[in-house]
């Protein structure tokens, strides 16, 4: 069930049976010459929704904007500062907790969100840990590409050229879900350089077309379908840890 498409009565009934919710979280940022600005949010959303269908759990609205400062030197990128994203996560968690949700799982599509979201969890726990009578609250952040079995699948699917940004896997998922958005581009070099960076300007200097370590042209919608299904099943498996009341 999707929270957006439910009434408060339906949410109340759901809470009588389960206290778990999945919140997709992404980013709007450049993804090289072939990847869509919304790739990370799209991937998190479709995987969470498919898993919700398979596993029968509630999926909240996608937090489409994330912490994307390293991509700000490319037009179209929209980034929340770490402090802003932390405040968003804290407010989302307190709202859901106030409704009675006790297991809040953020399904993430963007590596750049991880440090900030985990720090937000730390702030929430630090506050709750000194309360006299805290209620139960479990917070989790799961990046779809780190779900059990997915790294192995990626390594098998892309023995080389997967990289870490504008990856063929994330682009494949968007090609599968939104075929009309598929882009074609000449890539030079075919596989982008990889390594570190400091700020957004340094990122653009080192990775001029926006890709990092990736050959985005390896993406195809058939692999996207397999990845979506595998990640959704892996998330369903993870969600079985959250027992029903
Ligand atoms: Ni991405």
């Amino acid at each position: 069930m999707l929270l957006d498409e439910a009434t408060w009565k339906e949410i109340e009934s759901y809470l009588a049976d389960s206290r778990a919710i999945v919140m997709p979280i992404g980013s709007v940022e450049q993804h090289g010459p072939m990847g869509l600005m919304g790739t990370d949010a799209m991937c998190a959303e479709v995987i969470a929704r498919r898993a919700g269908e398979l596993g029968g759990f509630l999926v909240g609205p996608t937090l489409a904007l994330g912490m994307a400062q390293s991509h700000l030197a490319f037009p179209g990128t929209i980034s929340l500062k770490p402090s802003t994203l932390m405040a968003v996560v804290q407010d989302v968690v307190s709202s859901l907790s106030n409704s009675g949700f006790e297991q809040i799982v953020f399904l993430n599509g963007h590596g750049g969100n991880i440090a900030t979201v985990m720090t937000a969890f730390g702030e929430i726990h630090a506050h709750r840990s000194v309360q006299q009578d805290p209620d139960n609250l479990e917070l989790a952040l799961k990046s779809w590409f780190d779900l059990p079995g997915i790294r192995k699948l990626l390594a098998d699917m892309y023995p080389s050229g997967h990289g870490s940004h504008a990856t063929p896997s994330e682009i494949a998922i968007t090609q599968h879900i939104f075929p009309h958005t598929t882009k074609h581009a000449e890539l030079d070099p075919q596989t982008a350089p990889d390594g570190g960076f400091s700020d957004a300007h340094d990122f653009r200097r080192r990775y001029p077309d926006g890709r990092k370590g990736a050959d985005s042209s390896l993406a195809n919608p058939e692999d996207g379908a397999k990845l979506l299904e595998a990640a959704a099943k892996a998330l369903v498996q993870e969600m079985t840890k959250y027992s029903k009341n």
Side-chain angles (χ1 to χ4, degrees):
M1 182 165 64
L2 300 180
L3 184 140
D4 277 357
E5 297 181 4
T7 66
W8 73 265
K9 286 280 186 187
E10 290 171 311
I11 301 297
E12 191 172 67
S13 299
Y14 174 86
L15 282 163
D17 188 45
S18 171
R19 297 299 174 103
I21 185 168
V22 172
M23 292 293 300
I25 180 168
S27 179
V28 172
E29 63 187 43
Q30 70 82 18
H31 273 79
M34 290 180 59
L36 311 177
M37 305 296 300
T39 298
D40 294 349
M42 291 168 169
C43 289
E45 180 168 281
V46 296
I47 291 165
R49 290 183 173 196
R50 176 67 181 141
E53 280 170 14
L54 293 172
F57 49 78
L58 189 65
V59 177
T62 302
L63 302 176
L65 301 181
M67 211 296 284
Q69 67 79 16
S70 58
H71 303 290
L72 281 170
F74 295 87
T77 297
I78 304 173
S79 179
L80 303 182
K81 292 191 291 292
S83 54
T84 312
L85 179 56
M86 283 175 61
V88 169
V89 169
Q90 288 169 287
D91 286 356
V92 167
V93 167
S94 51
S95 300
L96 291 171
S97 169
N98 184 57
S99 290
F101 290 97
E102 294 179 344
Q103 295 104 22
I104 303 170
V105 177
F106 288 79
L107 194 273
N108 178 43
H110 173 51
N113 287 338
I114 295 171
T116 301
V117 174
M118 293 307 293
T119 306
F121 289 177
E123 284 284 331
I124 294 163
H125 288 313
H127 177 71
R128 299 172 68 87
S129 296
V130 295
Q131 288 179 331
Q132 292 303 313
D133 190 21
D135 47 16
N136 296 323
L137 182 64
E138 287 181 73
L139 300 174
L141 176 66
K142 297 178 186 297
S143 298
W144 71 261
F145 38 82
D146 284 329
L147 287 167
I150 302 300
R151 288 281 179 193
K152 166 83 167 65
L153 179 59
L154 294 176
D156 292 344
M157 208 174 257
Y158 309 105
S160 65
H162 185 261
S164 58
H165 187 66
T167 63
S169 59
E170 58 186 348
I171 292 174
I173 293 172
T174 63
Q175 288 178 343
H176 165 58
I177 297 295
F178 307 108
H180 63 287
T181 66
T182 299
K183 317 285 183 186
H184 301 280
E186 290 298 316
L187 300 179
D188 182 24
Q190 197 65 40
T191 299
D194 211 343
F197 59 88
S198 56
D199 66 358
H201 303 289
D202 187 49
F203 188 105
R204 182 146 184 179
R205 263 193 305 276
R206 291 172 188 248
Y207 313 106
D209 77 2
R211 294 174 298 143
K212 207 159 136 340
D215 176 358
S216 309
S217 70
L218 297 172
N220 67 64
E222 294 75 26
D223 288 343
K226 285 182 208 154
L227 286 162
L228 167 58
E229 206 61 15
K233 284 182 179 154
L235 179 58
V236 170
Q237 194 57 36
E238 291 291 284
M239 292 301 290
T240 61
K241 290 177 188 162
Y242 302 109
S243 57
K244 307 247 164 161
N245 5 320

